[in-house]
Each structure stands twice: as structure tokens, then as C-alpha cells.
Amino acid sequence: MTAMLIDGKAHAGALRARVAAVVAGLREAHDLMPGLAVVLVGEDPASEVYVRSKGRQTREAGMASFEHRLPGSASQDEVLALVEALNQDPDVHGILVQLPLPLQIRADLVINAIAPEKDVDGFHISNVGRLGTGQRAMVPCTPLGCLMLLRAHHGMLEGMDAVVVGRSNIVGKPMAHLLLGENCTVTIAHSRSRDLRAICKRADILIAAVGRPAMIEGDWIKPGATVIDVGINRVPAPELGADKTRLVGDVDFGSVLPVAGAITPVPGGVGPMTIACLLANTVTAACRALALPEPDGLGL
Ligand code: GUN
């Protein structure tokens, strides 16, 4: 048996097309152009790549993209002042402050300064609490993308045993809440869990979000399980030449493929869904701002 590949690139393309169609309708019927502001502080090269990609995909979906760059030496007050200006700007429906921030800036204060209804990352304490209590929230993009892939593959997830490996605020914890909302039986495990292998082996759905390259191996997997690999780890690849690297997930793809029922590859699995969900969240935020009905297919 070989696991079915869950094609995140194709699902993300379909979601972006849906976003673009909704945006065209909003512009036509309501003269509403959803706008996303991205704030980048400093010159982290990986963040530069992400921010450029977010801007390009935002424009391609027919939305307004506002990019704000501050020097790595920017003060806490400068960043907070920019966030406050974006909160007040009616053309901005979504605000994303790219992480990580320079050390002199407290990320928690900046995130919690974003108006919760514009917090398209879903990191504001109010959105965290709303998701945790089952109220309407902005949902973090990566877990939302994972849930969309799971729903597309399985339909109903009710009653399934789901194990989330990783307890980050960005992925692990919100993922667990989303799966609880689907009536899964949810276990959160992490790098310090005792007998992680035995815990993983119980999972009908395994979410790997621990940030360790190829840690989860084939004999950790229940035969037929669905494996969602959130990891993006760059590792040396001497087989490709000196100084070459390649991306691998948290799952040891080669040994898991013959055991799992379905699996997301890295790259081309969860990754492309994250930005597509960011666009979807921005459209959702714009509709809520104008008290318009929320379009189907963009969120929960
Ligand atoms: N840096 C890496 N991932 C993310 C993300 O999902 N949101 C933000 N704001 N920064 C990030």
C-alpha cells in the first residue's frame, strides 16, 4: 500500500481562485476592495521572501496590498504607532505583523495592539480566547489550512482520534481546538512527551508540527492514518552537491508513505495553504467590517 498524496498546492490554488471570485463580486456589488497590510520590521531574509509572496498573491487575488517596512532598529513605540494607524485605516481590513520581530520589540504587545477584527493571523489574545471557547474568531492560517485539507479528504472528522505533535501558539494549540470543534478526540503531544511513538500510533489523524526534521517514522504510524506534515526544515543535502540544502518535513516521508493512508508532502502540502488562508481571512474580515454575509468556503 502507498499513501495517497494530499496535494496542498492544488487545494491552495482552488482556494485562491475562490477568494479571487469572491473579491470580484465584492468589488462589483459593494465597491469593496479587501485590503491586507503586512508589516515587516528589519531585514530577516526568510521574512522578506514570505512578505513578497504575500504581497504578490494578495494583488493577484484582486485585493489591495499595503507593505510597511521599518528598520531593524525601530522602537516599540514606532511599531505600535504604525499598528494603530492601520487599525484606523478603513481601507485596511487585515493586518499582519511578520514574525519574528527584533529583540527590542515585544511581540505580545504588538500583536495585542492589532484590532482583533483585523487580526488575520488570529494571534490576538481575544481571537485565541474566542477560538478556545468556540466563538466566532479569526483563525490562524496554518491550522485553518490543515483543517481544510482534512475536511476535503475525509468529509466528517467526528469521533476520530487526532494527535497533534507540537504545542506552539501558532500551530499546535489552535490546531487542537479546531479538531475538538470537529468532534475529534484530541491529544496534544510534544518533544517531551513520554513514549511519543505509542501516542502517535493511536492516531487516525496525525498532525506533525514539532519542528524536527524527519522525526516521525513509519513505525510510529497507524496503518491507513492521515498524516499532515506542518514541518518546514532546511537540511544539508550533500547528494545535491556541496553546500546544497533541501526542505524536509517533521515526517520521515520515505518510511511513512507505505504505512499511512494519506499524507501531505513537503514542499507542496500545508505550506501553500497558509498564504491562501491568509487571503481568505482578509476577505472574511472585510465582509465582517461591512456587516456583509460571510462568503462560503473561506473559513470554518
Ligand atoms: N512568521 C512565520 N510564520 C508566520 C505567520 O504565520 N504569521 C506571522 N505574522 N509571522 C510568521
Side-chain angles (χ1 to χ4, degrees), residues 83-101:
V83 167
E84 187 48 34
L86 297 171
N87 284 343
Q88 300 300 330
D89 186 339
D91 293 332
V92 171
H93 303 97
I95 302 171
L96 178 145
V97 178
Q98 185 67 29
L99 303 175
L101 287 166

Side-chain angles (χ1 to χ4, degrees), residues 176-250:
H177 282 301
L178 287 175
L179 291 165
L180 268 180
E182 300 292 308
N183 296 320
C184 292
T185 303
V186 180
T187 303
I188 305 180
H190 46 80
S191 57
R192 310 271 179 90
S193 293
R194 196 182 306 150
D195 205 353
L196 197 48
R197 176 181 175 277
I199 297 169
C200 290
K201 192 117 189 160
R202 292 204 308 259
D204 302 310
I205 294 169
L206 183 67
I207 312 282
V210 73
R212 297 202 180 176
M215 185 178 93
I216 293 173
E217 300 182 3
D219 66 351
W220 296 32
I221 305 296
K222 179 178 183 173
T226 298
V227 179
I228 305 289
D229 191 351
V230 183
I232 301 179
N233 308 289
R234 196 162 274 290
V235 297
E239 72 277 11
L240 300 179
D243 301 331
K244 294 287 186 200
T245 61
R246 64 191 170 96
L247 288 183
V248 299
D250 293 349

Side-chain angles (χ1 to χ4, degrees), residues 132-156:
T133 52
Q135 300 175 68
R136 191 179 83 166
M138 294 305 301
V139 178
C141 303
T142 299
L144 178 59
C146 293
L147 181 60
M148 287 181 177
L149 294 178
L150 284 168
R151 279 185 175 170
H153 184 70
H154 283 285
M156 283 245 301

Side-chain angles (χ1 to χ4, degrees), residues 47 50 54 96-100 121 123 141-142 170 274:
S47 293
Y50 283 129
K54 285 166 185 170
L96 178 145
V97 178
Q98 185 67 29
L99 303 175
D121 259 332
F123 295 165
C141 303
T142 299
I170 293 182
T274 297

Side-chain angles (χ1 to χ4, degrees), residues 15 32 56 67 85 100 102 110 133 152 175 192 217 228:
L15 179 55
L32 168 61
R56 179 176 48 78
E67 232 175 270
V110 172
T133 52
M175 188 75 243
R192 310 271 179 90
E217 300 182 3
I228 305 289

Side-chain angles (χ1 to χ4, degrees), residues 32-37 58 63-66 91-95 120 282-283 286:
L32 168 61
M33 172 114 145
L36 171 65
T58 303
M63 299 195 279
S65 167
F66 308 97
D91 293 332
V92 171
H93 303 97
I95 302 171
V120 282
T282 304
V283 174

